[in-house]
Amino acid sequence: MDQDEGVQAGETYGFMSSYSDTLQQQFSQDDEIILSMNPKSGVLPYGTPEPLLPTESSRRKTPPNDEDEDEAITLLRLQSSVFKRFRKNEVELQDERRIRARERDQANRRILELEDQLAIKSAENADLEARLSDSAEAMASLQSEVAVRGNEIAAKDAEVRSLKDMVEVKSEELAKVVALHTEQQQRASSVEISNIEQQLELQWAARMAEKEKEWLQEKTEMETRLRSLEEELWQAKEVQRAYPEILAALMKIEVISITLSVFVLDLPDIMGAQQSKQTNPTPIQSVDEKVALKEEHATLVSALERFSVTDDGEPASADGTVNYHELKRWEEGAIKDPKTSVSRAVLDHVDMSTALLSRAARVADTHVFNLKLDYETSPITNQLSSGRCWLFASTNVIRYEAAQKLKIKDFQLSQSYLFFYDKLEKSNYFLELSIENADLPLDSRLISHLNSDPIGDGGQLDMAVNLIERYGVVPQSTFPESYSSSYSNKMDKLITNRLRQFSLALRALVSGLREQLQDVDEEHRKARILAAARKQKEVYLAEIYRILCITLGVPPKPTDKFTYEYYDTDGKFNSYEGTPLEFYKKYGNEKYSLSDSFSLVNDPRNPYETLFTVDKLNNVWGGRPVLYVNTSSEELKKAVVTSIKAGHPVFFGCDVGQFSHSALGIMDTALYEYESAFNIKVTLTKAQRLQTGESSMTHAMVITAVHLDKEGKPVRYRVENSWGLVGDKGYFVMSDNWFDEFVYQVVIPRKLAKPEHVKILDAGSPRLYAPWDPMGTLA
């Protein structure tokens, strides 16, 4: 209670006291009324014990009178009523006094509390004033430091100006080198070149076979290096006006200068002169290789000629902020551009993806193909709101042969069955990684990556093979869809929450056991910790299994028998009885088994004809690893054509959201006319998109047909999707250019693959992608 409430309570108490006095006056008035009604009764003012009825002596002196008796009784009743009212009012007054006393006590206690709070606030204000004083001192210190930094910046500006001068000197040196090379080429006569070529052919013919593979590898690395240099030079030219970038540009120029110097000095040796003392290059084995080397050198020289660092004056915004004057200049330039004016008039009120659709692309991307599978499965599948495309693509490949063997038209394998066991296996895999990496800090990049999505819906071919070989497959009617298999987000969130908690508990368990077992030798300590952690992990997995059974249903066990009854295409009743593993063995692509297939990928960032794997990426602990044979996009296309000709559908992974239209079912780099509408050039290469996070493998589908031109080269592809009846009744068409830019993976059976790629796969020793590499994303 505050001070105002205390005052109000006091006023209320005064009012009640006044009211009590008023009641006393009223009672006195009542007594006077009674006395006036019967003055002979001798009634005294209120509170006297004088009786109202006549006394015994008066009765003997006065004869009884009925009227007097009635009047006395009335007076007695009136007096009794007055007494009752007084008693009632007196009790109420006492209650009110007690209430007001309590309120007065509460008000006093509230006042004491407020005084304590005021004291606390006063102390806090004093502390705040002290902190403000300290802040003022810190501000003064910062101002002093800012002054020092200003001096350092001025020194850096001077250093930058010096570096600019050095850049100009290096540019002049590069120009001299290029001029020297040109002069050397002009002095070389065609007769001398012919003689040198003959000498080279005779000299190195014996070593051609031995060095062929080594040369191809070095050639690939040179191409990659040249592309990288050209990209770096172009980037340096674009940012040449930015002073902080000058130092980096200078270092790049020095590297290129050294490279070019060595390259130019080695040219006479490559063309037949004596061996250089500075380098020992791999000898050229043929005229074609020498011509290719000349072309590579010309590419490098052209890139260097395009590179220049010039001083075009100060930037419009020295501090890097957006300059108001620049806004005006940009707008003036935009107004003068007719394309911009038309685009502004149209695109501000319509959907860009609709307005910029290319009519030419829609006409070219027709659903007509001259090379297709003999058999087309049905129905079109639909993964709905889940990330199970890799399971749908895998089962769609398997059902192609299974449906023919079963002689059934509308047939699906249960994607939900594999989905159930994938979630269980991924939970186990994540908890095993948590035990294995319990020593790493929680904020380390690996632990943060693993915790970000422990059991996402996505996956890869090798992960599907792990599930199929371990659990088999069943028809969809044996284990149909549930709500959480089609709309998996809520279930995934719940399981992810539990797994993160389990992971923390296992880390704490491992840490505690390590302290308890310090006296045990290292080998036995590790074994005991691992055994204890895995025992607790199994308790956690039982909870995950229970959640999955509630949300997805209870699936058949891989060794439990089930019965599948159906009508074949002739209308004849059929019945199958067996286990999921037996069903896969009998119907699961006996001719071209998915288990005996592997992935070709196209990652232009890394060397081709090389085996890769992704660190910490899998679903089954100790299962088949995720393996990629990296090769060119042309090799991926050849694998597709080979598979379709052999009558086998092709699992492939791509970035489906790029330059595609779901309703039309078209994937084509020319589908949208962005460059015309915005007057821009979209120039990112496939490698650059991977390097910058612009693109990655996001979706898996199945190729069932391809259209070839007269020379046998692919023009477009027919794609079976798992999004229901979008596109052309569930099918998409993919252009060849889109394949080059956004297809990253093609799966091919070992029987149909090139022997060279099988050899790379079998050789093992893969190079390692980091867990967070874009090639580690799951379709």
Side-chain angles (χ1 to χ4, degrees):
M1 181 183 293
D2 57 20
Q3 187 174 0
D4 293 339
E5 292 175 342
V7 172
Q8 185 177 1
E11 292 175 353
T12 303
Y13 182 79
F15 170 77
M16 293 305 300
S17 299
S18 176
Y19 178 67
S20 176
D21 296 338
T22 303
L23 288 176
Q24 294 286 356
Q25 293 175 5
Q26 184 175 357
F27 294 153
S28 299
Q29 292 174 0
D30 292 339
D31 290 339
E32 291 175 1
I33 293 172
I34 295 171
L35 186 60
S36 64
M37 292 177 63
N38 187 13
K40 295 180 182 182
S41 64
V43 177
L44 298 176
Y46 178 77
T48 60
E50 187 69 24
L52 295 175
L53 297 177
T55 62
E56 190 66 29
S57 60
S58 64
R59 286 197 185 102
R60 288 193 295 268
K61 294 177 182 181
T62 306
N65 190 317
D66 294 338
E67 293 180 358
D68 291 341
E69 291 180 358
D70 293 338
E71 183 176 1
I73 291 170
T74 301
L75 290 174
L76 183 61
R77 290 174 177 171
L78 180 59
Q79 187 179 28
S80 176
S81 175
V82 169
F83 268 111
K84 290 179 180 179
R85 188 171 63 178
F86 173 75
R87 291 297 182 191
K88 180 180 179 181
N89 290 338
E90 187 175 27
V91 170
E92 292 177 351
L93 180 61
Q94 290 176 355
D95 292 342
E96 188 66 27
R97 285 175 177 173
R98 283 194 295 270
I99 292 172
R100 295 307 174 190
R102 285 196 299 269
E103 291 179 351
R104 184 168 59 254
D105 293 338
Q106 292 175 356
N108 291 334
R109 286 195 298 269
R110 179 60 178 165
I111 289 171
L112 293 176
E113 291 175 359
L114 291 173
E115 288 176 352
D116 293 338
Q117 293 178 5
L118 180 60
I120 293 172
K121 292 296 182 182
S122 298
E124 290 178 352
N125 288 339
D127 182 61
L128 181 60
E129 289 176 357
R131 290 168 59 187
L132 288 174
S133 177
D134 295 339
S135 298
E137 294 176 359
M139 181 62 71
S141 176
L142 287 174
Q143 290 176 349
S144 176
E145 185 177 353
V146 167
V148 174
R149 295 299 182 188
N151 295 333
E152 293 178 356
I153 291 172
K156 291 294 183 182
D157 288 339
E159 184 179 354
V160 166
R161 287 192 294 269
S162 175
L163 291 175
K164 287 174 60 180
D165 296 337
M166 293 175 63
V167 167
E168 293 178 358
V169 173
K170 290 294 182 181
S171 299
E172 293 176 358
E173 292 177 357
L174 291 176
K176 291 178 180 179
V177 171
V178 173
L180 178 61
H181 171 63
T182 303
E183 184 178 354
Q184 290 176 348
Q185 285 186 325
Q186 291 175 352
R187 287 199 301 264
S189 64
S190 59
V191 177
E192 292 175 344
I193 292 175
S194 177
N195 294 334
I196 291 170
E197 288 174 351
Q198 294 176 3
Q199 293 175 5
L200 288 173
E201 290 174 2
L202 294 174
Q203 182 179 359
W204 300 110
R207 299 180 58 185
M208 184 179 297
E210 179 183 354
K211 292 293 185 178
E212 182 178 3
K213 184 175 180 180
E214 181 181 354
W215 166 248
L216 290 175
Q217 179 67 27
E218 291 182 357
K219 180 181 178 182
T220 301
E221 292 176 354
M222 178 64 76
E223 290 174 348
T224 303
R225 180 163 165 263
L226 288 175
R227 285 196 299 269
S228 176
L229 288 173
E230 191 171 9
E231 291 168 4
E232 290 176 0
L233 292 172
W234 180 84
Q235 292 171 359
K237 182 178 179 180
E238 289 296 314
V239 299
Q240 60 185 343
R241 292 170 55 188
Y243 286 116
E245 300 283 339
I246 294 297
L247 182 58
L250 176 60
M251 296 182 67
K252 292 176 186 177
I253 293 172
E254 290 177 347
V255 172
I256 296 168
S257 176
I258 295 171
T259 302
L260 182 60
S261 299
V262 173
F263 207 89
V264 172
L265 289 172
D266 289 343
L267 281 177
D269 303 324
I270 294 172
M271 296 174 66
Q274 294 182 355
Q275 185 177 6
S276 171
K277 295 180 180 180
Q278 297 180 348
T279 60
N280 186 20
T282 302
I284 305 304
Q285 302 165 9
S286 67
V287 176
D288 292 338
E289 290 173 349
K290 190 185 72 174
V291 172
L293 183 58
K294 290 181 180 179
E295 292 176 352
E296 291 169 3
H297 176 257
T299 301
L300 179 60
V301 172
S302 176
L304 290 171
E305 289 175 346
R306 291 197 304 271
F307 178 76
S308 63
V309 179
T310 59
D311 189 358
D312 295 333
E314 297 294 329
S317 174
D319 60 356
T321 59
V322 177
N323 188 286
Y324 296 150
H325 298 292
E326 287 294 283
L327 289 176
K328 181 179 180 181
R329 185 173 65 83
W330 296 339
E331 177 59 23
E332 290 174 352
I335 292 174
K336 295 178 182 179
D337 182 14
K339 288 185 178 180
T340 301
S341 299
V342 174
S343 297
R344 283 179 172 181
V346 175
L347 295 182
D348 73 326
H349 59 274
V350 297
D351 179 20
M352 185 190 308
S353 63
T354 301
L356 299 181
L357 273 174
S358 169
R359 179 180 176 84
R362 283 182 288 169
V363 172
D365 295 326
T366 179
H367 288 266
V368 176
F369 307 89
N370 55 15
L371 179 62
K372 58 188 301 185
L373 300 177
D374 297 333
Y375 181 84
E376 194 167 86
T377 56
S378 63
I380 289 295
T381 56
N382 194 342
Q383 67 190 76
L384 294 173
S385 184
S386 69
R388 299 174 293 162
C389 59
W390 61 291
L391 291 176
F392 277 75
S394 299
T395 53
N396 285 345
V397 170
I398 296 174
R399 74 165 174 171
Y400 179 77
E401 187 171 329
Q404 296 180 73
K405 287 183 177 180
L406 291 166
K407 295 180 62 177
I408 185 171
K409 184 172 180 57
D410 290 335
F411 176 72
Q412 287 191 66
L413 292 169
S414 174
Q415 304 88 5
S416 184
Y417 173 77
L418 295 176
F419 191 53
F420 181 100
Y421 287 113
D422 178 62
K423 293 296 182 186
L424 186 62
E425 290 286 356
K426 280 179 178 173
S427 298
N428 180 66
Y429 191 84
F430 171 73
L431 294 178
E432 282 288 340
L433 286 176
S434 299
I435 297 171
E436 183 179 77
N437 298 281
D439 294 337
L440 293 179
L442 273 174
D443 58 354
S444 67
R445 186 170 188 182
L446 176 60
I447 300 301
S448 298
H449 173 77
L450 296 176
N451 283 330
S452 64
D453 191 13
I455 54 154
D457 288 356
Q460 262 298 346
L461 166 79
D462 298 292
M463 297 165 69
V465 171
N466 280 333
L467 295 174
I468 293 168
E469 291 184 339
R470 190 174 178 84
Y471 297 99
V473 294
V474 297
Q476 191 181 68
S477 59
T478 302
F479 192 70
E481 290 285 290
S482 69
Y483 181 86
S484 291
S485 66
S486 299
Y487 303 90
S488 59
N489 181 261
K490 297 295 178 61
M491 178 189 71
D492 285 349
K493 284 186 176 180
L494 175 61
I495 297 177
T496 297
N497 177 277
R498 301 302 296 148
L499 287 176
R500 287 168 176 164
Q501 181 176 343
F502 297 158
S503 173
L504 293 175
L506 289 173
R507 289 171 62 89
L509 175 63
V510 171
S511 177
L513 290 174
R514 187 177 291 108
E515 293 182 1
Q516 294 177 16
L517 302 175
Q518 289 182 355
D519 297 334
V520 182
D521 64 273
E522 181 69 15
E523 182 179 354
H524 287 86
R525 180 169 65 249
K526 287 183 177 180
R528 291 176 63 178
I529 290 174
L530 182 60
R534 283 180 169 169
K535 183 177 180 181
Q536 185 60 38
K537 179 204 68 174
E538 291 169 356
V539 176
Y540 297 150
L541 285 178
E543 180 177 322
I544 300 301
Y545 176 82
R546 185 166 64 252
I547 294 173
L548 291 171
C549 289
I550 293 171
T551 53
L552 300 178
V554 182
K557 304 301 182 290
T559 55
D560 289 349
K561 288 189 176 183
F562 68 93
T563 301
Y564 174 53
E565 299 176 339
Y566 63 97
Y567 291 107
D568 61 22
T569 53
D570 297 328
K572 182 181 177 181
F573 171 80
N574 290 270
S575 179
Y576 168 84
E577 183 176 351
T579 69
L581 288 171
E582 291 170 346
F583 189 88
Y584 173 65
K585 184 177 181 180
K586 184 173 182 179
Y587 298 108
N589 290 5
E590 181 180 357
K591 185 177 180 181
Y592 298 116
S593 172
L594 199 66
S595 302
D596 201 32
S597 302
F598 66 97
S599 296
L600 300 175
V601 298
N602 176 230
D603 176 12
R605 301 172 304 165
N606 289 294
Y608 291 158
E609 312 311 318
T610 306
L611 186 65
F612 284 87
T613 188
V614 183
D615 191 22
K616 305 293 188 297
L617 178 66
N618 214 322
N619 56 350
V620 174
W621 187 256
R624 167 173 163 170
V626 175
L627 293 174
Y628 301 141
V629 175
N630 190 31
T631 187
S632 66
S633 181
E634 290 300 320
E635 292 296 330
L636 267 64
K637 287 188 265 189
K638 290 177 182 178
V640 170
V641 174
T642 299
S643 292
I644 299 299
K645 286 182 177 179
H648 183 66
V650 181
F651 176 118
F652 78 105
C654 64
D655 189 358
V656 72
Q658 303 275 4
F659 295 92
S660 64
H661 195 288
S662 298
L664 296 176
I666 296 177
M667 298 179 289
D668 191 338
T669 55
L671 185 58
Y672 299 107
E673 298 184 2
Y674 292 132
E675 295 187 350
S676 297
F678 293 97
N679 198 16
I680 59 175
K681 291 292 183 182
V682 181
T683 58
L684 283 178
T685 65
K686 193 172 189 177
Q688 290 170 336
R689 285 192 289 270
L690 288 170
Q691 290 165 342
T692 59
E694 173 67 18
S695 181
S696 63
M697 201 170 352
T698 62
H699 192 49
M701 295 179 284
V702 177
I703 297 175
T704 62
V706 60
H707 189 73
L708 305 176
D709 62 14
K710 295 180 180 179
E711 298 178 355
K713 294 183 178 180
V715 177
R716 57 184 178 269
Y717 307 80
R718 180 170 173 81
V719 176
E720 180 184 0
N721 205 347
S722 54
W723 290 350
L725 298 177
V726 297
D728 182 23
K729 300 178 182 179
Y731 288 88
F732 281 37
V733 59
M734 172 175 60
S735 72
D736 188 60
N737 287 335
W738 198 94
F739 188 109
D740 283 331
E741 296 298 328
F742 300 111
V743 169
Y744 293 101
Q745 173 194 26
V746 162
V747 174
I748 186 167
R750 295 172 65 98
K751 296 178 182 179
L752 302 177
K754 289 179 62 175
E756 294 87 345
H757 293 154
V758 175
K759 185 177 180 181
I760 293 172
L761 178 70
D762 292 340
S765 301
R767 295 179 59 171
L768 205 62
Y769 283 123
W772 43 84
D773 190 272
M775 293 303 290
T777 57
L778 298 178

